[in-house]
Amino acid sequence: MKATAKAHTNIALIKYWGKRNEGIILPTNSSLSLTLDGFYTTTSVQFSEEYTNDQFMLNDKPVADEQFKRVSSFLDLIRQKAGKSLYAAVESTNEVPTAAGFASSASGFAALAAAGTKALGLDLSDKELSALTRQGSGSACRSIYGGFAEWQMGTEENGTDSYAVPIAPAEHWDLRVAAVVLSSTMKKVSSRAGMKRTVETSPFYQGWLDSIPADMKQIKEGINERDFEKVGEVAEANCLKMHATTLGANPPFTYWHDTTMTVMQAVRDLREKGVPAYFTIDAGPNVKVLYLPENEEVIEKTLRTIPGVADIRLSRPGQGVTYL
Ligand code: 2P0
């Protein structure tokens, strides 16, 4: 009754931004991401009749707060599915530097779902595993797959058709991502709280939703054709639209820092000089830059010289969940 799984984080090119059901995490729009090889979580789950409660160790330290509650509630979903009531010991190692601005919840819940279901002998399809993972953290449902994956929002109110599907494997296209780590970070509004406030109060929110189908169509064509400009343009525009909704929220907020905008401008300047590069930004101040392998050197060098930039972390397309 023990299993170990590894899952990578992902970067959304079409963002998930809003829920229609907070309890079982159903989104208001479909999203699409690229799984990254550089950042991952490895998780072991062991169920045992000898345990009298759940335990969660993260990077060799016991966790007992809200994070623990989220993990334990997620184990409840797995127990329910398997018809078992055993407690579990969970050990996770995160290779996702929080400073890099990647949500470790994506790789974390994907690895937990995979290891937990395997440990209890459940044999789930990828779609079933993705739909389960979604209930831990929305973006995590895309990390079941390597390469490009689409989280289809679904229409069922019980969530059975809200899961991710593979769009193209990692080998399809060596699209790279530079995570630009800023020296001063802040995250005053969590992504969970931020998307909720935006859905409830931003007059721009409907515009965001209306724009998704066209963005989705364009990015899928771009991925299929390996058309970097097409993919970059739509990803950058989609990110800007998501962030625009936060300015219309009440109270208004933004995830951007001054350095965030400096990096965005540096990316636009690179394009002016003929170096194809596009940015995307999640629910934090750090910027991720999309580029192709032949431009890696100039991209890294340019980004490193920007004042306020602490580090650059380069990543390639990564694989989906694996069992160790
Ligand atoms: C995404 N983000 O698509 C978007 C873009 C942030 C901006 O998914 O509440 O941690 O656990 O479902 O998945 C971050 O939100 O939120 C996120 P929950 P999650 O990657």
Side-chain angles (χ1 to χ4, degrees):
M1 280 187 292
K2 182 174 181 183
T4 304
K6 176 179 174 182
H8 293 85
T9 192
N10 67 76
I11 177 77
L13 303 177
I14 303 295
K15 305 294 186 189
Y16 149 49
W17 195 241
K19 295 182 180 74
R20 65 181 201 272
N21 179 325
E22 288 169 21
I24 58 169
I25 308 193
L26 295 178
T28 39
N29 68 274
S30 295
S31 55
L32 187 145
S33 62
L34 174 62
T35 299
L36 301 176
D37 76 338
F39 311 101
Y40 56 89
T41 303
T42 309
T43 296
S44 298
V45 180
Q46 174 155 32
F47 289 92
S48 169
E49 283 165 5
E50 286 169 18
Y51 299 147
T52 52
N53 54 280
D54 290 326
Q55 295 158 43
F56 177 35
M57 301 273 286
L58 179 59
N59 297 333
D60 296 323
K61 291 193 189 80
V63 179
D65 53 8
E66 278 306 308
Q67 241 182 330
F68 170 78
K69 277 191 206 147
R70 255 179 99 176
V71 166
S72 189
S73 304
F74 191 74
L75 289 169
D76 288 342
L77 296 178
I78 297 175
R79 285 186 275 255
Q80 205 180 351
K81 237 183 168 48
K84 299 253 168 64
S85 55
L86 300 170
Y87 289 112
V90 177
E91 284 182 31
S92 280
T93 314
N94 247 345
E95 297 294 336
V96 187
T98 27
F102 285 110
S104 56
S105 65
S107 54
F109 278 99
L112 178 63
T117 52
K118 189 70 122 192
L120 281 187
L122 286 165
D123 189 22
L124 304 184
S125 67
D126 284 347
K127 283 178 183 171
E128 288 169 327
L129 181 60
S130 178
L132 174 69
T133 304
R134 186 201 77 229
Q135 297 177 65
S137 185
S139 53
C141 79
R142 302 183 304 236
S143 277
I144 299 303
Y145 308 96
F148 299 88
E150 178 189 4
W151 175 10
Q152 299 177 339
M153 62 181 284
T155 53
E156 301 285 347
E157 281 321 299
N158 64 10
T160 47
D161 63 347
S162 186
Y163 45 66
V165 297
I167 294 295
E171 295 72 29
H172 170 71
W173 192 17
D174 191 5
L175 180 68
R176 300 201 181 166
V177 177
V180 183
V181 185
L182 309 191
S183 3
S184 58
T185 52
M186 50 135 209
K187 194 169 175 183
K188 285 190 194 134
V189 184
S190 72
S191 53
R192 213 164 251 205
M195 65 175 87
K196 183 174 159 67
R197 191 192 300 173
T198 305
V199 170
E200 288 171 356
T201 66
S202 179
F204 307 150
Y205 193 70
Q206 190 56 46
W208 157 257
L209 291 180
D210 293 344
S211 75
I212 298 291
D215 283 4
M216 196 59 95
K217 181 170 180 285
Q218 194 181 334
I219 203 151
K220 283 189 197 167
E221 286 170 7
I223 292 166
N224 187 39
E225 297 157 5
R226 297 188 196 88
D227 183 334
F228 183 70
E229 280 186 14
K230 201 168 190 170
V231 167
E233 271 176 26
V234 64
E236 191 172 293
N238 185 269
C239 149
L240 290 171
K241 281 181 281 198
M242 177 202 122
H243 286 270
T245 65
T246 71
L247 296 178
N250 183 16
F253 64 104
T254 182
Y255 289 108
W256 298 356
H257 260 193
D258 50 358
T259 315
T260 309
M261 294 181 73
T262 309
V263 176
M264 288 158 69
Q265 191 52 46
V267 172
R268 293 189 189 104
D269 290 346
L270 276 164
R271 285 210 293 272
E272 290 269 303
K273 286 188 216 142
V275 180
Y278 295 87
F279 62 79
T280 186
I281 305 162
D282 284 328
N286 292 347
V287 181
K288 281 86 179 186
V289 180
L290 309 173
Y291 65 95
L292 293 172
E294 59 263 32
N295 297 312
E296 185 155 280
E297 214 178 305
V298 61
I299 295 281
E300 187 179 9
K301 205 172 137 216
T302 305
L303 297 174
R304 272 198 196 282
T305 55
I306 298 171
V309 169
D311 197 11
I312 308 292
R313 302 285 299 257
L314 308 177
S315 206
R316 300 174 186 213
Q319 301 300 326
V321 157
T322 50
Y323 298 91
L324 307 178

